[in-house]
Amino acid sequence: METETRERGENLFPRVGVAISVLLSLLMFGVGAAVWADLPAMIPGGKVDFAGEPTMTPRWLFAVAMPSVTLFVAPVVAFLPALGERFQRLSGQGAPWSSPSLRRFLNLLLPLLSLVLTILHTVLLLREAGRATWPSTDHLMLAVLALFLVGVGLIVPLLRPGAGSDDPVARWWERARVPVGVGIVLVGSVTAATGFLLGEPVMAAYATGLIGPVILVGCAVPFIGERNRKNDSRSGT
């Protein structure tokens, strides 16, 4: 109880992750300013409107949209744990992971998300400015998506229950966190390998549809292991 109370009193705000995200957002703005003069006034959006004409994006919107979204998303994601912790306190329900581990997770997740957006934003800007011809947009999206999935899978196991926690949900997550993380890494790896080996990045993106079933399987691993242990104990007796 003392440990739980102390953890609830700690600040959940991931300062490091938000700070890095803000710096990467400023870097994106800087890249846009650096290539501003080489960007066309209107940039093709890759789609067509109802009249069959190609959609066009103004240069200023193309240059500021992604860093602006990053600046908005990072603080929103950072404040969600505090809101969730308050809801849990009111409802009397606990989280399967400790507050310090959640903060560490977000301190890595936010920079990871901002990094992949920075890579995507930079390459797209350079291409529209006539300074980059590889990779193709499809391959770029695939690589960024795979990088994000592998990164998320690597940091998910950092979400750990508090020391001495006897909550059933916490015990379940302690056994499920590694299988869930490994499953996400595998989906990211399969997505990248399929796209680059088969040369069909758009089709390979459908491999991300496996993420839901893989997470469910990872979450079921503790129950499968518990059932096997019970069967073994019955066989031994």
PDB file of all heavy atoms in Angstrom, residues 192-222:
ATOM      1  N   ALA A 192       8.380  -5.074 -42.970  1.00  0.00           N
ATOM      2  CA  ALA A 192       9.533  -4.545 -43.707  1.00  0.00           C
ATOM      3  C   ALA A 192      10.082  -5.564 -44.695  1.00  0.00           C
ATOM      4  O   ALA A 192      10.352  -5.246 -45.859  1.00  0.00           O
ATOM      5  CB  ALA A 192      10.620  -4.116 -42.728  1.00  0.00           C
ATOM      6  N   ALA A 193      10.259  -6.796 -44.241  1.00  0.00           N
ATOM      7  CA  ALA A 193      10.832  -7.825 -45.107  1.00  0.00           C
ATOM      8  C   ALA A 193       9.944  -8.097 -46.314  1.00  0.00           C
ATOM      9  O   ALA A 193      10.431  -8.220 -47.447  1.00  0.00           O
ATOM     10  CB  ALA A 193      11.054  -9.114 -44.308  1.00  0.00           C
ATOM     11  N   THR A 194       8.648  -8.176 -46.082  1.00  0.00           N
ATOM     12  CA  THR A 194       7.718  -8.457 -47.182  1.00  0.00           C
ATOM     13  C   THR A 194       7.763  -7.344 -48.225  1.00  0.00           C
ATOM     14  O   THR A 194       7.809  -7.600 -49.435  1.00  0.00           O
ATOM     15  CB  THR A 194       6.289  -8.617 -46.655  1.00  0.00           C
ATOM     16  OG1 THR A 194       6.254  -9.643 -45.669  1.00  0.00           O
ATOM     17  CG2 THR A 194       5.333  -8.955 -47.786  1.00  0.00           C
ATOM     18  N   GLY A 195       7.756  -6.097 -47.766  1.00  0.00           N
ATOM     19  CA  GLY A 195       7.741  -4.979 -48.694  1.00  0.00           C
ATOM     20  C   GLY A 195       9.009  -4.857 -49.513  1.00  0.00           C
ATOM     21  O   GLY A 195       8.965  -4.640 -50.730  1.00  0.00           O
ATOM     22  N   PHE A 196      10.158  -5.011 -48.870  1.00  0.00           N
ATOM     23  CA  PHE A 196      11.418  -4.799 -49.578  1.00  0.00           C
ATOM     24  C   PHE A 196      11.856  -6.022 -50.378  1.00  0.00           C
ATOM     25  O   PHE A 196      12.536  -5.892 -51.388  1.00  0.00           O
ATOM     26  CB  PHE A 196      12.510  -4.392 -48.590  1.00  0.00           C
ATOM     27  CG  PHE A 196      12.362  -2.981 -48.098  1.00  0.00           C
ATOM     28  CD1 PHE A 196      11.807  -2.716 -46.856  1.00  0.00           C
ATOM     29  CD2 PHE A 196      12.756  -1.906 -48.880  1.00  0.00           C
ATOM     30  CE1 PHE A 196      11.653  -1.415 -46.403  1.00  0.00           C
ATOM     31  CE2 PHE A 196      12.611  -0.607 -48.445  1.00  0.00           C
ATOM     32  CZ  PHE A 196      12.064  -0.350 -47.194  1.00  0.00           C
ATOM     33  N   LEU A 197      11.471  -7.216 -49.942  1.00  0.00           N
ATOM     34  CA  LEU A 197      11.855  -8.411 -50.680  1.00  0.00           C
ATOM     35  C   LEU A 197      10.929  -8.675 -51.859  1.00  0.00           C
ATOM     36  O   LEU A 197      11.372  -9.096 -52.926  1.00  0.00           O
ATOM     37  CB  LEU A 197      11.870  -9.622 -49.745  1.00  0.00           C
ATOM     38  CG  LEU A 197      12.956  -9.615 -48.662  1.00  0.00           C
ATOM     39  CD1 LEU A 197      12.845 -10.862 -47.792  1.00  0.00           C
ATOM     40  CD2 LEU A 197      14.351  -9.528 -49.279  1.00  0.00           C
ATOM     41  N   LEU A 198       9.640  -8.433 -51.651  1.00  0.00           N
ATOM     42  CA  LEU A 198       8.681  -8.680 -52.720  1.00  0.00           C
ATOM     43  C   LEU A 198       8.498  -7.478 -53.633  1.00  0.00           C
ATOM     44  O   LEU A 198       7.921  -7.609 -54.711  1.00  0.00           O
ATOM     45  CB  LEU A 198       7.323  -9.092 -52.136  1.00  0.00           C
ATOM     46  CG  LEU A 198       7.316 -10.369 -51.285  1.00  0.00           C
ATOM     47  CD1 LEU A 198       5.897 -10.672 -50.816  1.00  0.00           C
ATOM     48  CD2 LEU A 198       7.885 -11.541 -52.077  1.00  0.00           C
ATOM     49  N   GLY A 199       8.951  -6.315 -53.179  1.00  0.00           N
ATOM     50  CA  GLY A 199       8.816  -5.118 -54.009  1.00  0.00           C
ATOM     51  C   GLY A 199       7.412  -4.575 -54.085  1.00  0.00           C
ATOM     52  O   GLY A 199       7.097  -3.802 -55.005  1.00  0.00           O
ATOM     53  N   GLU A 200       6.555  -4.970 -53.153  1.00  0.00           N
ATOM     54  CA  GLU A 200       5.175  -4.488 -53.130  1.00  0.00           C
ATOM     55  C   GLU A 200       4.903  -3.848 -51.773  1.00  0.00           C
ATOM     56  O   GLU A 200       4.251  -4.447 -50.907  1.00  0.00           O
ATOM     57  CB  GLU A 200       4.192  -5.635 -53.381  1.00  0.00           C
ATOM     58  CG  GLU A 200       4.251  -6.222 -54.783  1.00  0.00           C
ATOM     59  CD  GLU A 200       3.745  -5.238 -55.821  1.00  0.00           C
ATOM     60  OE1 GLU A 200       3.002  -4.305 -55.439  1.00  0.00           O
ATOM     61  OE2 GLU A 200       4.082  -5.401 -56.998  1.00  0.00           O
ATOM     62  N   PRO A 201       5.391  -2.629 -51.542  1.00  0.00           N
ATOM     63  CA  PRO A 201       5.230  -2.009 -50.225  1.00  0.00           C
ATOM     64  C   PRO A 201       3.785  -1.775 -49.826  1.00  0.00           C
ATOM     65  O   PRO A 201       3.436  -1.873 -48.649  1.00  0.00           O
ATOM     66  CB  PRO A 201       5.992  -0.684 -50.365  1.00  0.00           C
ATOM     67  CG  PRO A 201       6.076  -0.426 -51.835  1.00  0.00           C
ATOM     68  CD  PRO A 201       6.145  -1.768 -52.477  1.00  0.00           C
ATOM     69  N   VAL A 202       2.935  -1.488 -50.801  1.00  0.00           N
ATOM     70  CA  VAL A 202       1.532  -1.240 -50.470  1.00  0.00           C
ATOM     71  C   VAL A 202       0.882  -2.516 -49.960  1.00  0.00           C
ATOM     72  O   VAL A 202       0.151  -2.519 -48.962  1.00  0.00           O
ATOM     73  CB  VAL A 202       0.777  -0.692 -51.695  1.00  0.00           C
ATOM     74  CG1 VAL A 202      -0.707  -0.539 -51.371  1.00  0.00           C
ATOM     75  CG2 VAL A 202       1.360   0.649 -52.121  1.00  0.00           C
ATOM     76  N   MET A 203       1.151  -3.639 -50.625  1.00  0.00           N
ATOM     77  CA  MET A 203       0.585  -4.907 -50.189  1.00  0.00           C
ATOM     78  C   MET A 203       1.165  -5.329 -48.843  1.00  0.00           C
ATOM     79  O   MET A 203       0.468  -5.880 -47.993  1.00  0.00           O
ATOM     80  CB  MET A 203       0.863  -5.990 -51.235  1.00  0.00           C
ATOM     81  CG  MET A 203       0.176  -5.757 -52.568  1.00  0.00           C
ATOM     82  SD  MET A 203      -1.634  -5.685 -52.421  1.00  0.00           S
ATOM     83  CE  MET A 203      -1.970  -7.358 -51.866  1.00  0.00           C
ATOM     84  N   ALA A 204       2.465  -5.032 -48.639  1.00  0.00           N
ATOM     85  CA  ALA A 204       3.102  -5.419 -47.383  1.00  0.00           C
ATOM     86  C   ALA A 204       2.502  -4.674 -46.202  1.00  0.00           C
ATOM     87  O   ALA A 204       2.501  -5.184 -45.075  1.00  0.00           O
ATOM     88  CB  ALA A 204       4.600  -5.146 -47.455  1.00  0.00           C
ATOM     89  N   ALA A 205       1.986  -3.476 -46.442  1.00  0.00           N
ATOM     90  CA  ALA A 205       1.392  -2.706 -45.355  1.00  0.00           C
ATOM     91  C   ALA A 205       0.193  -3.431 -44.747  1.00  0.00           C
ATOM     92  O   ALA A 205      -0.144  -3.206 -43.581  1.00  0.00           O
ATOM     93  CB  ALA A 205       0.970  -1.326 -45.852  1.00  0.00           C
ATOM     94  N   TYR A 206      -0.427  -4.316 -45.540  1.00  0.00           N
ATOM     95  CA  TYR A 206      -1.557  -5.064 -44.994  1.00  0.00           C
ATOM     96  C   TYR A 206      -1.117  -6.025 -43.893  1.00  0.00           C
ATOM     97  O   TYR A 206      -1.952  -6.506 -43.119  1.00  0.00           O
ATOM     98  CB  TYR A 206      -2.264  -5.837 -46.107  1.00  0.00           C
ATOM     99  CG  TYR A 206      -3.038  -4.963 -47.059  1.00  0.00           C
ATOM    100  CD1 TYR A 206      -2.639  -4.809 -48.382  1.00  0.00           C
ATOM    101  CD2 TYR A 206      -4.175  -4.278 -46.634  1.00  0.00           C
ATOM    102  CE1 TYR A 206      -3.348  -4.005 -49.256  1.00  0.00           C
ATOM    103  CE2 TYR A 206      -4.893  -3.467 -47.503  1.00  0.00           C
ATOM    104  CZ  TYR A 206      -4.466  -3.329 -48.824  1.00  0.00           C
ATOM    105  OH  TYR A 206      -5.161  -2.518 -49.680  1.00  0.00           O
ATOM    106  N   ALA A 207       0.189  -6.314 -43.844  1.00  0.00           N
ATOM    107  CA  ALA A 207       0.686  -7.186 -42.786  1.00  0.00           C
ATOM    108  C   ALA A 207       0.481  -6.575 -41.411  1.00  0.00           C
ATOM    109  O   ALA A 207       0.438  -7.294 -40.406  1.00  0.00           O
ATOM    110  CB  ALA A 207       2.169  -7.494 -43.001  1.00  0.00           C
ATOM    111  N   THR A 208       0.338  -5.254 -41.366  1.00  0.00           N
ATOM    112  CA  THR A 208       0.096  -4.607 -40.076  1.00  0.00           C
ATOM    113  C   THR A 208      -1.260  -5.012 -39.502  1.00  0.00           C
ATOM    114  O   THR A 208      -1.507  -4.801 -38.310  1.00  0.00           O
ATOM    115  CB  THR A 208       0.153  -3.079 -40.222  1.00  0.00           C
ATOM    116  OG1 THR A 208      -0.828  -2.645 -41.189  1.00  0.00           O
ATOM    117  CG2 THR A 208       1.532  -2.635 -40.686  1.00  0.00           C
ATOM    118  N   GLY A 209      -2.132  -5.587 -40.334  1.00  0.00           N
ATOM    119  CA  GLY A 209      -3.403  -6.082 -39.825  1.00  0.00           C
ATOM    120  C   GLY A 209      -3.231  -7.221 -38.846  1.00  0.00           C
ATOM    121  O   GLY A 209      -4.167  -7.564 -38.119  1.00  0.00           O
ATOM    122  N   LEU A 210      -2.013  -7.786 -38.812  1.00  0.00           N
ATOM    123  CA  LEU A 210      -1.736  -8.865 -37.864  1.00  0.00           C
ATOM    124  C   LEU A 210      -1.513  -8.355 -36.453  1.00  0.00           C
ATOM    125  O   LEU A 210      -1.464  -9.152 -35.511  1.00  0.00           O
ATOM    126  CB  LEU A 210      -0.489  -9.645 -38.314  1.00  0.00           C
ATOM    127  CG  LEU A 210      -0.574 -10.379 -39.657  1.00  0.00           C
ATOM    128  CD1 LEU A 210       0.801 -10.929 -40.016  1.00  0.00           C
ATOM    129  CD2 LEU A 210      -1.600 -11.503 -39.573  1.00  0.00           C
ATOM    130  N   ILE A 211      -1.361  -7.044 -36.301  1.00  0.00           N
ATOM    131  CA  ILE A 211      -0.982  -6.500 -34.997  1.00  0.00           C
ATOM    132  C   ILE A 211      -2.020  -6.814 -33.931  1.00  0.00           C
ATOM    133  O   ILE A 211      -1.676  -7.154 -32.789  1.00  0.00           O
ATOM    134  CB  ILE A 211      -0.738  -4.976 -35.112  1.00  0.00           C
ATOM    135  CG1 ILE A 211      -0.008  -4.455 -33.877  1.00  0.00           C
ATOM    136  CG2 ILE A 211      -2.018  -4.225 -35.348  1.00  0.00           C
ATOM    137  CD1 ILE A 211       1.406  -4.863 -33.794  1.00  0.00           C
ATOM    138  N   GLY A 212      -3.290  -6.707 -34.279  1.00  0.00           N
ATOM    139  CA  GLY A 212      -4.343  -7.003 -33.307  1.00  0.00           C
ATOM    140  C   GLY A 212      -4.332  -8.443 -32.840  1.00  0.00           C
ATOM    141  O   GLY A 212      -4.261  -8.723 -31.638  1.00  0.00           O
ATOM    142  N   PRO A 213      -4.400  -9.416 -33.787  1.00  0.00           N
ATOM    143  CA  PRO A 213      -4.337 -10.819 -33.362  1.00  0.00           C
ATOM    144  C   PRO A 213      -3.063 -11.167 -32.604  1.00  0.00           C
ATOM    145  O   PRO A 213      -3.101 -11.954 -31.653  1.00  0.00           O
ATOM    146  CB  PRO A 213      -4.427 -11.585 -34.692  1.00  0.00           C
ATOM    147  CG  PRO A 213      -5.139 -10.657 -35.615  1.00  0.00           C
ATOM    148  CD  PRO A 213      -4.704  -9.288 -35.223  1.00  0.00           C
ATOM    149  N   VAL A 214      -1.929 -10.597 -33.012  1.00  0.00           N
ATOM    150  CA  VAL A 214      -0.666 -10.903 -32.334  1.00  0.00           C
ATOM    151  C   VAL A 214      -0.698 -10.404 -30.891  1.00  0.00           C
ATOM    152  O   VAL A 214      -0.238 -11.092 -29.968  1.00  0.00           O
ATOM    153  CB  VAL A 214       0.514 -10.278 -33.106  1.00  0.00           C
ATOM    154  CG1 VAL A 214       1.770 -10.232 -32.237  1.00  0.00           C
ATOM    155  CG2 VAL A 214       0.788 -11.076 -34.374  1.00  0.00           C
ATOM    156  N   ILE A 215      -1.237  -9.209 -30.669  1.00  0.00           N
ATOM    157  CA  ILE A 215      -1.335  -8.684 -29.303  1.00  0.00           C
ATOM    158  C   ILE A 215      -2.268  -9.557 -28.465  1.00  0.00           C
ATOM    159  O   ILE A 215      -1.981  -9.844 -27.294  1.00  0.00           O
ATOM    160  CB  ILE A 215      -1.818  -7.222 -29.331  1.00  0.00           C
ATOM    161  CG1 ILE A 215      -0.733  -6.316 -29.918  1.00  0.00           C
ATOM    162  CG2 ILE A 215      -2.187  -6.742 -27.928  1.00  0.00           C
ATOM    163  CD1 ILE A 215      -1.150  -4.868 -30.060  1.00  0.00           C
ATOM    164  N   LEU A 216      -3.376  -9.992 -29.063  1.00  0.00           N
ATOM    165  CA  LEU A 216      -4.299 -10.872 -28.332  1.00  0.00           C
ATOM    166  C   LEU A 216      -3.631 -12.184 -27.951  1.00  0.00           C
ATOM    167  O   LEU A 216      -3.822 -12.696 -26.839  1.00  0.00           O
ATOM    168  CB  LEU A 216      -5.544 -11.130 -29.178  1.00  0.00           C
ATOM    169  CG  LEU A 216      -6.492  -9.940 -29.370  1.00  0.00           C
ATOM    170  CD1 LEU A 216      -7.634 -10.327 -30.302  1.00  0.00           C
ATOM    171  CD2 LEU A 216      -7.034  -9.456 -28.032  1.00  0.00           C
ATOM    172  N   VAL A 217      -2.831 -12.736 -28.866  1.00  0.00           N
ATOM    173  CA  VAL A 217      -2.119 -13.984 -28.562  1.00  0.00           C
ATOM    174  C   VAL A 217      -1.125 -13.752 -27.429  1.00  0.00           C
ATOM    175  O   VAL A 217      -1.010 -14.565 -26.500  1.00  0.00           O
ATOM    176  CB  VAL A 217      -1.394 -14.507 -29.817  1.00  0.00           C
ATOM    177  CG1 VAL A 217      -0.463 -15.658 -29.462  1.00  0.00           C
ATOM    178  CG2 VAL A 217      -2.409 -14.966 -30.858  1.00  0.00           C
ATOM    179  N   GLY A 218      -0.401 -12.621 -27.488  1.00  0.00           N
ATOM    180  CA  GLY A 218       0.542 -12.314 -26.422  1.00  0.00           C
ATOM    181  C   GLY A 218      -0.150 -12.159 -25.078  1.00  0.00           C
ATOM    182  O   GLY A 218       0.372 -12.604 -24.046  1.00  0.00           O
ATOM    183  N   CYS A 219      -1.316 -11.532 -25.090  1.00  0.00           N
ATOM    184  CA  CYS A 219      -2.065 -11.365 -23.840  1.00  0.00           C
ATOM    185  C   CYS A 219      -2.599 -12.698 -23.315  1.00  0.00           C
ATOM    186  O   CYS A 219      -2.843 -12.842 -22.109  1.00  0.00           O
ATOM    187  CB  CYS A 219      -3.239 -10.402 -24.059  1.00  0.00           C
ATOM    188  SG  CYS A 219      -2.745  -8.687 -24.341  1.00  0.00           S
ATOM    189  N   ALA A 220      -2.788 -13.671 -24.216  1.00  0.00           N
ATOM    190  CA  ALA A 220      -3.315 -14.975 -23.802  1.00  0.00           C
ATOM    191  C   ALA A 220      -2.234 -15.914 -23.295  1.00  0.00           C
ATOM    192  O   ALA A 220      -2.556 -16.939 -22.688  1.00  0.00           O
ATOM    193  CB  ALA A 220      -4.054 -15.637 -24.970  1.00  0.00           C
ATOM    194  N   VAL A 221      -0.966 -15.588 -23.554  1.00  0.00           N
ATOM    195  CA  VAL A 221       0.130 -16.469 -23.149  1.00  0.00           C
ATOM    196  C   VAL A 221       0.093 -16.801 -21.658  1.00  0.00           C
ATOM    197  O   VAL A 221       0.271 -17.974 -21.273  1.00  0.00           O
ATOM    198  CB  VAL A 221       1.492 -15.852 -23.540  1.00  0.00           C
ATOM    199  CG1 VAL A 221       2.646 -16.574 -22.840  1.00  0.00           C
ATOM    200  CG2 VAL A 221       1.673 -15.923 -25.049  1.00  0.00           C
ATOM    201  N   PRO A 222      -0.126 -15.819 -20.754  1.00  0.00           N
ATOM    202  CA  PRO A 222      -0.173 -16.174 -19.326  1.00  0.00           C
ATOM    203  C   PRO A 222      -1.251 -17.194 -18.985  1.00  0.00           C
ATOM    204  O   PRO A 222      -1.028 -18.085 -18.151  1.00  0.00           O
ATOM    205  CB  PRO A 222      -0.442 -14.833 -18.632  1.00  0.00           C
ATOM    206  CG  PRO A 222       0.062 -13.815 -19.586  1.00  0.00           C
ATOM    207  CD  PRO A 222      -0.232 -14.371 -20.948  1.00  0.00           C
TER     208      PRO A 222
END
